[in-house]
Amino acid sequence: MRVFFWNINGVSREEARCKLHELVKEFKPDIFCLAEPKVSCSNIFIRRLKLNGYDTNVIHNSSDYSISNLWVFTSTELDISVVVNMSRQTISISVDGVCITFVHASYLQVTRRRLWEQLNMDNVDIPWLLIGDFNCILRLEEKKGGREPHTCAINEFGDWMEDNLLFEADALGNKFTWSNCQSGSRRIISKLDRAVINATWLAKYENWRCKALPR
C-alpha cells in the first residue's frame, strides 16, 4: 500500500500542479492526500487536475463555513472507500480492509486535544495508518531553535499513541520536516510530519516504512 501526503500550500498554482503530476507519476500512490489546497473542491477543478487513474469523487472535509483543508484521492483500482470519520483536522477512510487516517492538526494545543479524543481505534485487528502533519513533536530533540516546546503537549501526543497501541513507522529521508525558512539564530526546524501505525498494519505490510521527501 503506497500512501502519499503533501502540504501543497495552494494547488491552483501551475508549478504546484506540475510537481503533483511529477510525484504521482514517480511514486504511483494507491491513495494520496493534499493538505491546504486553498481552493474549493469542485468537480470542474478536479477534472482540470487530470489525475488519470484516480477517482474524481475526491473525499474532502469542506463545510458550510469553510473550504476543505484536506483532499483525499484514491486509485480506481481499489475498492470503494468508506469515510470512517471526518473533522477539520483529519479524514479517516476504510478501504481494502485497512483504515488510513490523514492528519492536519491544529497548531493550538487545546484544539489538538479534540483530535486525540476523536482518533481512537477500538478494534486492534484492523490495520491502521495515520499520516500527515501532527503539528507536535514527540521528543525534545525533534525541534531546534525558537521557544522551548511544551512538555505537556508532547506528553499528550505520546499518551494518545500509547493508549491506541501505535508506534512510529520506520522513516527515511529528512529528519526535520518543517522549517521557518530563516537562517542563523532565527532558524527553527521541527519534525511535525510523520507516519504512525499499529502492529496489525506492520503485520500486513511487512517492512513498511515512510520517507520524508525534500522540501
Side-chain angles (χ1 to χ4, degrees):
M1 177 70 72
R2 289 195 168 202
V3 184
F4 180 75
F5 178 92
W6 182 20
N7 188 327
I8 199 166
N9 194 27
V11 73
S12 62
R13 295 172 292 119
E14 183 178 356
E15 60 269 31
R17 295 197 303 273
C18 289
K19 188 63 179 180
L20 175 61
H21 277 267
E22 179 184 324
L23 291 170
V24 168
K25 183 178 180 180
E26 179 179 357
F27 294 102
K28 299 177 176 62
D30 300 294
I31 301 172
F32 69 91
C33 177
L34 300 181
E36 295 191 30
K38 296 186 177 181
V39 294
S40 297
C41 189
S42 66
N43 292 332
I44 294 175
F45 189 86
I46 295 302
R47 286 196 294 269
R48 280 177 53 199
L49 289 179
K50 297 180 180 178
L51 292 167
N52 298 327
Y54 293 91
D55 196 334
T56 55
N57 294 314
V58 175
I59 301 168
H60 58 92
N61 62 346
S62 62
S63 69
D64 293 337
Y65 310 102
S66 61
I67 63 173
S68 51
N69 65 332
L70 290 171
W71 293 3
V72 177
F73 296 76
T74 57
S75 169
T76 53
E77 296 182 2
L78 295 177
D79 292 339
I80 296 176
S81 57
V82 176
V83 176
V84 176
N85 59 54
M86 181 185 298
S87 71
R88 188 63 186 170
Q89 300 183 79
T90 183
I91 293 177
S92 294
I93 64 172
S94 175
V95 61
D96 278 11
V98 305
C99 183
I100 299 176
T101 298
F102 295 98
V103 177
H104 188 238
S106 171
Y107 69 94
L108 297 172
Q109 182 182 352
V110 65
T111 307
R112 283 200 307 276
R113 285 180 185 145
R114 294 201 292 269
L115 176 65
W116 307 143
E117 293 169 359
Q118 175 192 4
L119 290 179
N120 293 284
M121 177 68 74
D122 296 327
N123 189 349
V124 296
D125 294 329
I126 297 176
W128 193 17
L129 161 70
L130 302 99
I131 186 170
D133 180 2
F134 289 82
N135 232 317
C136 184
I137 62 173
L138 198 54
R139 305 170 190 85
L140 290 174
E141 60 267 24
E142 291 180 349
K143 180 182 180 183
K144 292 185 177 181
R147 297 178 179 177
E148 284 290 319
H150 296 291
T151 54
C152 59
I154 297 174
N155 292 337
E156 287 174 358
F157 190 7
D159 289 345
W160 165 76
M161 288 182 60
E162 184 176 346
D163 291 343
N164 286 278
L165 304 178
L166 297 166
F167 53 91
E168 284 190 274
D170 288 343
L172 304 171
N174 296 340
K175 178 181 178 181
F176 300 100
T177 64
W178 179 87
S179 166
N180 66 346
C181 298
Q182 300 292 318
S183 59
S185 61
R186 295 183 178 181
R187 184 174 183 240
I188 305 173
I189 52 177
S190 300
K191 181 177 181 179
L192 303 181
D193 308 83
R194 67 185 77 231
V196 299
I197 56 177
N198 64 6
T200 317
W201 178 276
L202 193 59
K204 183 177 179 66
Y205 303 110
E206 189 176 358
N207 297 322
W208 194 93
R209 60 182 61 184
C210 68
K211 183 176 183 179
L213 300 177
R215 183 180 177 85

